[in-house]
């Protein structure tokens, strides 16, 4: 099988919606990363996602919906969760709630909760409307590898295993959605940090704190996405403090690529192993380029990559980037 990459014209969107309704798979852009979508209420279609990604059966899928009304049929909502959806949907936020019977067990890996997200990307939104069904969609990468932020990324790692890719250009956010567990609003917690921050959520949910799973003693069963070595490139990755990476620039070990957070000011020639995530120093720009840079470096076959920790001055996305770097380096939480 060799995937076909389609421009999101009206004709191709209609065609892809029909593929999805019939139980097929379509990779499609969201504002965070590309997803591999299937009819969420069709257990056989969802099984195809697990097969194509070689995803372990115990790693549940996020279900994408066109709006809150569609999400009401899939989960048992509470007032605080509705307020959160009202405020942040459509957008890069996934809400975990008790599931309703309509959701097949394969989607939730047999669990009694479901993760729901209403995406903001216009292509995914049109696809959801045209398909008229909720769409289960994990990131469109082989399980454990770096998430894709372009159609070409999807094609290079899943192109032999799926038939259709909708090309919506590079994803504007670039890192996966925030996941918040809202089953019990009094004990809400963040399972995965993302562009919607704890502070923004707390302003809507109320309460003093919003713990992040894995960072407090009490928080245990984690989303499998919280496991160590997730989102990992093949090339071993080391995280370095700003001072350390500058030192490495002076005396770069052979076979080592350096990734600065921000483009260094003075760079003499001959630094083709020196990379950076942003020119401006803004977290948004760095988040958009993070997975592209990790994938590019994997292709170049370095022995190792040393990457600079994102500075707090880059804003709230710095913490999200550092979370993904720790996972990519295989440190899990830490
Ligand atoms: O931004 C995103 O969320 C992207 C786009 C495509 O929407 N999707 C994405 O999906 O990142 P995925 O499958 O790569 O990551 C979803 C994470 C997984 O770690 C999964 O274990 C967790 O969400 N998850 C899914 N259902 C869950 C549930 N009921 N409870 C807790 N975690 C859940
Ligand atoms: Mg993923």
């Amino acid at each position: 099988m060799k995937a076909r990459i389609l421009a999101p014209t009206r004709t191709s969107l209609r065609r892809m919606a029909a593929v999805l309704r019939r139980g097929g798979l379509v990779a499609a852009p969201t504002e965070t990363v590309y997803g591999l979508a299937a009819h969420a209420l069709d257990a056989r279609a969802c099984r195809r996602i697990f097969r194509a990604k070689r995803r372990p059966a115990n790693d549940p899928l996020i279900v994408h919906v066109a709006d809150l009304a569609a999400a009401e049929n899939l989960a048992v909502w509470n007032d605080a969760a509705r307020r959160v959806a009202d405020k942040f949907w459509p957008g890069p936020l996934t809400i975990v709630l008790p599931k309703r019977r309509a959701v097949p067990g394969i989607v939730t890996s047999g669990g009694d909760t479901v993760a729901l997200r209403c995406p903001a990307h216009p292509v995914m939104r049109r696809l959801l409307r045209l398909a008229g069904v909720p769409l289960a969609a994990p990131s469109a990468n082989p399980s454990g590898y770096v998430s894709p932020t372009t159609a070409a990324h999807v094609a290079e790692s899943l192109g032999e295993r799926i038939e259709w890719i909708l090309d919506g250009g590079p994803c504007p956010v670039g890192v996966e959605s925030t996941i918040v567990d809202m089953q019990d609003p009094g004990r809400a917690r963040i399972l995965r940090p993302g562009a919607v921050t704890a502070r923004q959520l707390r302003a809507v949910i109320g309460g003093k704190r919003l713990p992040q799973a894995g960072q407090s003693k009490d928080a245990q069963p984690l989303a499998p996405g919280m496991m160590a070595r997730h989102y990992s490139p093949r090339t071993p990755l080391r995280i370095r403090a700003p001072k350390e990476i500058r030192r490495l620039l002076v005396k770069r070990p052979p076979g080592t690529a350096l990734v600065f957070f921000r483009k260094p000011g003075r760079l003499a020639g001959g630094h083709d192993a020196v990379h950076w995530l942003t020119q401006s120093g803004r977290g948004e720009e760095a988040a958009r380029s993070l997975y592209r840079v990790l994938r590019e470096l994997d292709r170049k076959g370095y022995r190792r990559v040393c990457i600079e920790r994102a500075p707090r001055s880059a804003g709230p996305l710095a913490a999200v980037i550092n979370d993904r770097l720790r996972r990519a380096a295989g440190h899990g939480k830490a």
Side-chain angles (χ1 to χ4, degrees):
M1 201 182 295
K2 188 85 194 152
R4 287 185 56 192
I5 301 183
L6 304 178
T9 60
R10 202 194 311 184
T11 315
S12 60
L13 281 165
R14 282 222 185 99
R15 206 164 146 210
M16 293 305 102
V19 166
L20 287 164
R21 273 199 305 271
R22 282 201 308 269
L25 301 183
V26 177
T30 80
E31 71 276 34
T32 57
V33 300
Y34 275 69
L36 181 59
H39 188 330
L41 306 181
D42 177 342
R44 280 183 57 191
C46 293
R47 200 162 300 127
R48 292 197 176 106
I49 294 181
F50 283 88
R51 226 177 289 138
K53 277 184 59 103
R54 302 206 163 99
R55 184 180 179 98
N58 66 359
D59 193 353
L61 306 178
I62 294 179
V63 177
H64 297 69
V65 291
D67 50 33
L68 180 55
E72 294 272 359
N73 301 324
L74 304 175
V76 181
W77 285 74
N78 54 64
D79 285 344
R82 280 198 193 91
R83 285 202 306 277
V84 166
D86 268 339
K87 174 81 180 172
F88 299 106
W89 280 4
L93 178 73
T94 298
I95 303 175
V96 172
L97 288 168
K99 84 174 197 73
R100 288 194 194 277
R101 292 256 292 279
V103 182
I106 185 167
V107 169
T108 64
S109 299
D112 49 15
T113 62
V114 62
L116 297 170
R117 172 157 117 81
C118 174
H121 197 289
V123 173
M124 188 62 163
R125 294 192 62 71
R126 280 154 69 200
L127 195 60
L128 277 162
R129 297 250 179 242
L130 288 167
V133 295
L135 297 175
S139 52
N141 49 277
S143 185
Y145 193 57
V146 180
S147 292
T149 53
T150 65
H153 290 168
V154 180
E156 83 197 4
S157 52
L158 278 185
E160 300 296 332
R161 311 182 59 90
I162 62 175
E163 234 173 316
W164 304 108
I165 303 172
L166 274 168
D167 187 351
C171 299
V173 176
V175 287
E176 304 83 352
S177 62
T178 304
I179 304 180
V180 62
D181 180 349
M182 290 295 298
Q183 291 178 74
D184 175 357
R187 300 183 55 197
R189 57 186 190 139
I190 290 184
L191 300 179
R192 179 175 71 184
V196 174
T197 64
R199 181 188 292 232
Q200 288 176 304
L201 283 165
R202 212 173 44 223
V204 177
I205 300 167
K208 278 209 207 71
R209 20 177 257 128
L210 186 55
Q212 185 174 314
Q215 292 197 343
S216 64
K217 288 182 265 110
D218 53 342
Q220 14 106 11
L222 304 180
M226 302 294 290
M227 290 186 299
R229 287 204 71 77
H230 206 82
Y231 315 101
S232 291
R234 287 181 291 274
T235 319
L237 187 81
R238 302 277 174 271
I239 305 167
R240 293 289 177 250
K243 246 200 224 144
E244 295 171 317
I245 200 141
R246 266 165 224 290
R247 212 175 297 141
L248 288 170
L249 184 60
V250 178
K251 197 167 186 300
R252 187 171 60 83
T256 300
L258 304 181
V259 185
F260 284 79
F261 181 76
R262 183 176 190 169
K263 181 173 190 243
R266 287 174 295 114
L267 260 190
H271 278 304
D272 55 335
V274 178
H275 305 259
W276 50 85
L277 299 183
T278 142
Q279 299 236 8
S280 66
R282 294 180 62 231
E284 288 80 1
E285 189 190 336
R288 268 197 296 278
S289 45
L290 176 65
Y291 291 152
R292 172 179 53 75
V293 169
L294 293 183
R295 281 174 176 259
E296 276 168 18
L297 292 174
D298 251 1
R299 275 199 300 274
K300 292 189 174 159
Y302 292 106
R303 223 179 293 158
R304 78 186 69 73
V305 171
C306 291
I307 188 164
E308 183 182 2
R309 192 167 55 223
R312 289 173 73 155
S313 59
L317 278 164
V320 181
I321 292 168
N322 289 333
D323 169 81
R324 302 306 192 268
L325 289 181
R326 283 191 295 269
R327 298 167 199 276
H331 303 173
K333 49 194 175 87

